[in-house]
Amino acid sequence: MKIGILFGGQSREREVSFAGGRTIYDNLDKNIFEPVPIFVDSLGNFILLNWEFIYKGTIRDFYPPIMPTEENPFQIYIESLQKFQENTQEIISKVGKQIFPHQFPQLFDFAFLTLHGAFGEDGNIQGLLEWYNIPYSGSGILPSAIGIDKIVQSEILRNAGFKRPKQKTILRKDWLTMRKNILLKKNIFAYIKDQIGFPIVVKSPKQGSSIGVSIIKKDTENPENMFLQWEKAVNKNFFMQNIDVNAFKNLSETEKRQFLTQFTDIREGLGFPVFLENETDKKSDETEKLQETPEKRVFYHPTELQFFLQETSLKNAFLCATNTEEMVLFEEFIAGKEFSCIVIQDETGNPVALPPTEIRKYNDVFDYRSKYLPGTSRKITPIEVADNTIKKIRNACVELYKALFANVYARIDGFITEKNEIFLNDPNTTSGMLPSSFFFHQSAEIGLDSKDFITYIIRTSLSERQKIGKNAFFITQQLENLDKKIQSLHTEKTKKISVAVIMGGYSSERHISMESGRNVYEKLASSTKYAPFPVFLTGNSEGFEMYEIPINYMLKDNADDIREKISQKTSLEPTNEKAEILDIIKAEFVNITNLYAQNRLDFPQKLTFEELKNKTSLAFIALHGRPGEDGALQQELQKWQIAYNGSGVKSSQITINKYQTNEILAKNNILVAKHTLVYEHDWLNKKTGILNNIAQDFTFPLIAKPADDGCSSAVKKLKNVEQFCAFAEMMFRKQEEFLENEAQILQLTPKEEFPQKNYFLVEELITKGDKAIHFLEITGGMLTKFEENTGEKTISYEIFPPSETLSTGDVLSLEEKFLAGEGQNITPARYFPQNPETNAQIEQEVKNVLERTAKILNVEGYCRIDAFVRVFAEGKPEVIIIEVNSLPGMTPATCIFHQASLHDYKPYQFIDKILDFGDKRNYKL
C-alpha cells in the first residue's frame, strides 16, 4: 500500500512538520507499506521529493537549492526568491518533481498528514484530498477547521461547560493604529491586567509549537519594564519588530549576520517577506517620501533588508511580516500541573484517552526547544496525581474530543490546579511526530512501538473515511487488504536477525544517546531484516548495569527518567496491590495491542552479558562518550563473542581521549590545534603557575573543553582570565549543582550539561589567519568494509563528502547539532564555490586527510571526524583535525545521514552496512 507522506507546508511550523514527515517515512512498517514523500513548499507547491533530501536537517539546507556564500551567507525559504526568481519549476526540478493534486491517485493510495498550522491542520488539505478521493490520516474537515483556531475553540469549550481561563483579545488593525500612542497602549495594558490579573499569557490564536507564546509576570518594582515586556510580546505575536537603525549600524559584521539570521528564523524571528510600516518622523525626507507612496516597501531577502538598514536615514524601522496574525489573545495564567493527552479511537470507533503526560518545564513556557530537544524538559507518564484525578482528566479529554467532532486522534493539552480543577486548551488535530513526541510517547505506554502505532492510525483513518461515504467501495477494499496483511504478520514465519540496541549511559551525552538509540531501533524495527530490542545501560564509573526495557521505557523523554523508572520497578511480576492506573489503561487497549504489537515486554529485565549472548550475537552501541566510545563495553562484548558496531577496543581507547588523539596525529604529521591539559590537583596547588603557562603558550580567546566528552558539552570559547578561572572552578567543582558566580561568568543556562572532571583540555582558537581566502568548519563521515576476494582482513575506507557546519555562536551548540530545524549544515561543504573544478579538487584533498587520520587511529566500521579547513588563493587546503568520534550521533537530523545519502545510502541502509561490517569482523576475529 503506497502511503503519500505530506510534510513541510506554508506555516511557521514547517520545520517540525518536515521532521515529523521524516519520522513517518522511516517508521512505516516496510512489510506492509511503501512510503512516498510529498514535500509541500512554503508557496504551496507539491513536490515528489527525491529521498535523499528527506534527511537534511532543515528545509533551508536543500530548498531552495542555493548555496550560501561569504557575500550572501543566509539560508532562506523559497518565498525570499519571489521578487527575484520566477522560474520555480527549475528550482523544484533540482530536488524532485512538481506534481499536482489530480495526479495524487496515481502516486499513492493514502495520505499521511504531518502538516501543521495553516493549510495543513485547518481543513484545507483535508478538503483537497476528499475532492480527489484520497483517504487521509486524522480528523476530517470540520474538526480540523475548529482545531486551528484557539478563539473558536474557546467558545465551543465554554458552551460545552468546560472551565476556561479569563481571556481578552486585540485586533491587529487596532494595534497598528495605536502604535505610536504610548499612553493609549498603557491604558489598554492597564485594562487587560485588571481584567485578567498576573501573570498574563500572550499568544497567537492560530500558531502551534509554542510559537510566539510569552508570559508577563508582575513586577511592582519596575512597572515600566513590565509594560515594555508586554508591548514586545504583543509585537512578537503579531510578528512585528521595531529595529533601532543606529544600533544596527553600530553592530559588527558578524553581529549583523547573527541578527539577520535570527530575523530570518520563522519561529523566533519575523521571516520574509516583511514590509515597512511608514514612520512619522517629519525630519526625515525619506520618511515623507515613503508616506507619499501608496504601496508599502517590501523586503524579500535578508541582504535586501541589510542594505536598507545600513543606508536609510530613518531612526527606527518598524517591520511587519506578511505571514502574520489578525488577532492576539491574552489569557489568565493557570497555575498547576501541565499535561498533554492523546485521544484515539478504539477498534469500535469510540474515543479513548491514552495515559496523560505531565510536562515539567525548566522555563515558564514549554517552548520549541523544550518540546523537541531531549533532556530540556521532563515528560512524566502518567501525570503524578491521584488515580481518580487521572481518570477525571482522561474523561474530560474524551468529552472535549467529542465536542470538537474529532476523528481518529487528537492531542489535548491542559492544566490541573491544586483545587483539582481541569482547564483544557489548545486541542491539536495533528500532533507533532518527532520520535520523542507525545504521539509516540503515550502510545508506547499501551505497548505499541512507532511502526505499530502508525499502522493503527492508518487503519483507523481508513475506517473513518469509509463512514463519510465518499469513494466508500474502494476504501472498503483497502481496509480488507490491509487487515489481511496485518493478520499475515502474525502467521508468516519470517526469520529476522536479533539486534540489541544499547543506549543511555551516565555521561553528559546520555540524553542524545537515547535519541540515537531510539532512531536506530525504529529504523531497524520497520525493516524486513532485523528484530531489534532496546537495552538501557546505566550505572557509574565503577561499573555499569544493563536492562532490556519495554518500548514505553525507551520512549521516555530522557535517560534520567528511564533510570528512575527502572529503579522503581524491575520485578518481572506485577505486585499484589491494587492494579496501577497504567495497568487499567492498558487493559482498555488490550485488543489493539494484541493485534498490532508482537513479543511485547512489560517490565525491565536486568541482563548479564551471558544473558545478552543468549538473546543475540549482534549489538548496536548507540552510546556516546564514556561509557561506549572508550572501549570498555567493546571489550566485554568481544569477550562474549557478540559482534558490535564501530571501532575496536584499542582504537576506541585512543579516540575517546582528545589529548592523546592530538598527540598521535601530530606525531604523524596531521595538523591539530596547539593543546595542553589542566589537572585538578595542579589547579588547586599551582593556580598561578598554570595561568602563567597559559599566558605564555596561548593567547585569548582560546577553547576549553572536557578531554573525553562530546556533543558540545562544556565546550567554551574563553575570552579572558576571569572566564578561564570560572571554567576551571566549574569543571573541578565538588557538587553537581552549578557554582552560581562561575555559571554567571560563563553564561550557562540552568539545564546546560557541564560535567565534573579532574582534568580538561585547552586548545588554541583556530581562525582564518592572514593568508587564507576561505575558512570553514567541517564534519566528515565514513564507512569501512572488508575487501572481497582477499585471504587477509583488508579494510577499505569509503569517505563521504564532508558537511560544512555553520555556528551562530562561539561554538556549535547542542541544538544546532541535534535539534530538528536548528543549525545550518551544508552538504557537501563549500571550499571554493566560484570554481567547481577547484572545489572538487580541494574536497578530495580534505577527504584524503580524513582517511589518513582514520587509518592512523585504526578506526573501523564508521566514524565522524571534525576539522577546520583553511583554503588559500592557489586552491591549496590546510586541514586541522579537531576530534574523532568513533560512535557518532545517529539522531534523525544528524548530518552523517546527509553525507551517506550522497553515496546512495538511506539511513537504514547505512545502519545495515555498519552492522554487517561488525558481524563480519566478529566472524573473522
Side-chain angles (χ1 to χ4, degrees), residues 57-112:
T58 74
I59 293 169
R60 289 181 291 168
D61 283 344
F62 72 94
Y63 189 80
I66 296 172
M67 285 285 191
T69 63
E70 289 184 334
E71 297 77 26
N72 179 13
F74 305 105
Q75 287 190 310
I76 56 172
Y77 290 105
I78 188 67
E79 52 264 40
S80 285
L81 298 183
Q82 281 178 286
K83 182 178 178 181
F84 313 102
Q85 175 63 264
E86 295 180 1
N87 191 0
T88 54
Q89 284 274 7
E90 184 179 342
I91 292 174
I92 290 170
S93 67
K94 294 179 180 178
V95 299
K97 177 185 177 184
Q98 184 170 12
I99 58 173
F100 300 92
H102 72 271
Q103 297 171 302
F104 288 175
Q106 285 77 51
L107 293 168
F108 51 87
D109 308 304
F110 178 93
F112 201 106

Side-chain angles (χ1 to χ4, degrees), residues 183-196:
L183 180 60
L184 182 55
K185 280 187 184 179
K186 287 187 174 181
N187 289 338
I188 296 292
F189 177 55
Y191 170 76
I192 288 171
K193 69 182 183 182
D194 289 343
Q195 293 294 310
I196 292 180

Side-chain angles (χ1 to χ4, degrees), residues 74 89 110 117 170 181-182 218 318 334 411 421 434 470 528 609 614 705 712 722 730 767 794 798 810 844 855 858:
F74 305 105
Q89 284 274 7
F110 178 93
I170 190 169
N181 192 331
I182 300 298
K218 190 173 184 177
F318 193 81
I334 304 300
R411 195 193 85 225
E421 294 177 312
L434 272 71
K470 299 176 182 176
T528 59
F609 280 99
N614 290 334
K705 56 187 173 185
S712 298
E722 182 188 33
M730 276 293 297
T767 61
T794 307
E798 183 178 2
D810 289 332
Q844 188 55 54
K855 287 181 175 178
N858 198 28

Side-chain angles (χ1 to χ4, degrees), residues 35 106 189 287 317 358 387 440 492 742 848-849:
Q106 285 77 51
F189 177 55
T287 303
E358 180 181 345
D387 287 2
F440 299 117
E492 290 177 1
E742 283 74 11
N848 291 342
V849 174

